[in-house]
Amino acid sequence: MLRQQDVGHRIVVRRIVGIREGRPLFSDALGELVELSETHVTLATAQGRLRVPRDEVHRAKRVPPTRRPTAAAVVALELAADEAWPAAVRGRLGDWLLRSAAGWSGRANSALPVGDPDRPLPAAVDAIESWYAERGQPAMVNTPLPLAAPVGAELDARGWDTRPPVLVQTVPLSAIPPAVEPHTVGAGSPPIELATAPSEDWLAIAAGRKGGLPDAARHVLTAVDRVRFAQVYADGTLVAIGRGTVTGEGRWLGLSLIEVVPEARRQGLAGRVVRGLAAWGAAEGASHAFLQVEQRNSPAVTLYRALGFTTHHTYLTRVAPPA
């Protein structure tokens, strides 16, 4: 049966649609799982959104994607994502990247093993452990899958822990509906502002989500040539934020820190922030958008699926055991 970890992945559902001569009749549906509740399984199919009561589900399972991206496509997107979230302290092992940002966020404090490390795999992992030990940090590695599966096998053998899976999702910018003008989404709807630098209010919300905001975090957020900080104010209070970057030789709009304060949720603000940043990215010449979301974050996965995002690949953050 399905689990929350399957949200965002392609599944097949065999459902009971009737009874004939005392035997159940079945119908199969194939699509991407967008929500799994106690009562329903919801998937996006080629014919549209389908919501199946769980008591009608005879069998359901994850199936392979229709096609996997090439290794070159995964590497290119991972490097664009690295540009969009730049750690202040960086090193290299051949093509592999070593990144440190005072422990702020896993992405900016982990090695990225894409390409050739210019040494045998065990020696490369040894070098990663030494590099992070010199900085007083736990060694971490982001392993894009299935590209970095051999790295993952080596880390398994060494007893490294695994954090929850992360979906790297993409969509052509042309497929995202345009930003809606405030007067069309309800009386008094606040406008979306795009700034070249984050306000103190913006940083406060980001700090609340990420558990603080050291100087290294400010570098991660701002040290990108093309970046915009989206913000929505209501009655003088900041209620929604988002961040957009254009990297990857201008192809990719990276979306991060899409956040709405609890009292303003379920008003469509997150979708409006994404659309506003998408319009900016398209104007900058980007053709596609990407974001990274934990697989277990079902509300966010559902939102992004409604905006057209699909899973390009996944990654696992691996953490070395204590010395």
Side-chain angles (χ1 to χ4, degrees), residues 22-310:
R23 295 184 176 182
L25 299 176
F26 301 106
S27 176
D28 291 344
L30 181 67
E32 184 172 313
L33 180 63
V34 296
E35 186 178 11
L36 183 64
S37 71
E38 293 182 0
T39 58
H40 287 80
V41 174
T42 304
L43 62 161
T45 73
Q47 293 74 40
R49 194 179 181 92
L50 178 64
R51 193 164 183 258
V52 182
R54 291 190 75 141
D55 58 9
E56 294 181 8
V57 176
H58 175 68
R59 184 178 302 163
K61 65 178 181 179
R62 190 192 297 192
V63 296
T66 52
R67 63 180 182 182
R68 289 179 175 174
T70 64
V74 172
V75 170
L77 182 48
E78 284 292 329
L79 293 178
D82 173 68
E83 289 180 55
W85 200 256
V89 178
R90 304 172 70 84
R92 298 193 78 97
L93 290 176
D95 297 328
W96 289 15
L97 301 178
L98 305 173
R99 307 172 292 190
S100 174
W104 191 79
S105 84
R107 279 177 284 168
N109 291 275
S110 57
L112 180 61
V114 295
D116 183 358
D118 197 27
R119 66 202 70 196
L121 180 55
V125 176
D126 289 342
I128 288 172
E129 292 176 340
S130 296
W131 194 85
Y132 284 99
E134 290 171 1
R135 287 155 182 80
Q137 293 182 230
M140 296 198 297
V141 177
N142 271 12
T143 55
L145 299 176
L147 180 68
V151 179
E154 175 68 20
L155 301 181
D156 286 341
R158 296 178 181 230
W160 284 46
D161 291 333
T162 303
R163 288 186 176 176
V166 174
L167 309 178
V168 181
Q169 299 199 310
T170 63
V171 66
L173 286 177
S174 60
I176 298 180
V180 181
E181 293 300 320
H183 65 269
T184 67
V185 294
S189 296
I192 299 171
E193 304 171 10
L194 298 183
T196 57
S199 66
E200 290 304 315
D201 288 344
W202 195 103
L203 292 170
I205 291 180
R209 174 172 171 177
K210 290 290 189 180
L213 210 66
D215 289 341
R218 293 177 184 247
H219 176 93
V220 170
L221 294 173
T222 61
V224 182
D225 289 338
R226 289 193 279 177
V227 60
R228 289 295 183 272
F229 298 88
Q231 50 192 20
V232 180
Y233 280 87
D235 299 323
T237 300
L238 185 61
V239 294
I241 65 170
R243 176 178 175 271
T245 56
V246 173
T247 60
E249 299 182 343
R251 180 188 181 194
W252 289 103
L253 167 71
L255 298 170
S256 58
L257 288 169
I258 308 299
E259 183 74 9
V260 179
V261 300
E263 57 270 24
R265 290 174 184 166
R266 301 189 182 280
Q267 299 177 29
L269 291 178
R272 290 180 58 210
V273 167
V274 170
R275 292 184 180 98
L277 289 168
W280 169 75
E284 289 287 309
S287 61
H288 289 71
F290 77 88
L291 53 82
Q292 297 163 324
V293 58
E294 279 198 1
Q295 184 174 278
R296 63 185 178 181
N297 188 350
S298 298
V301 172
T302 299
L303 166 67
Y304 298 137
R305 182 63 185 83
L307 291 167
F309 284 86
T310 58

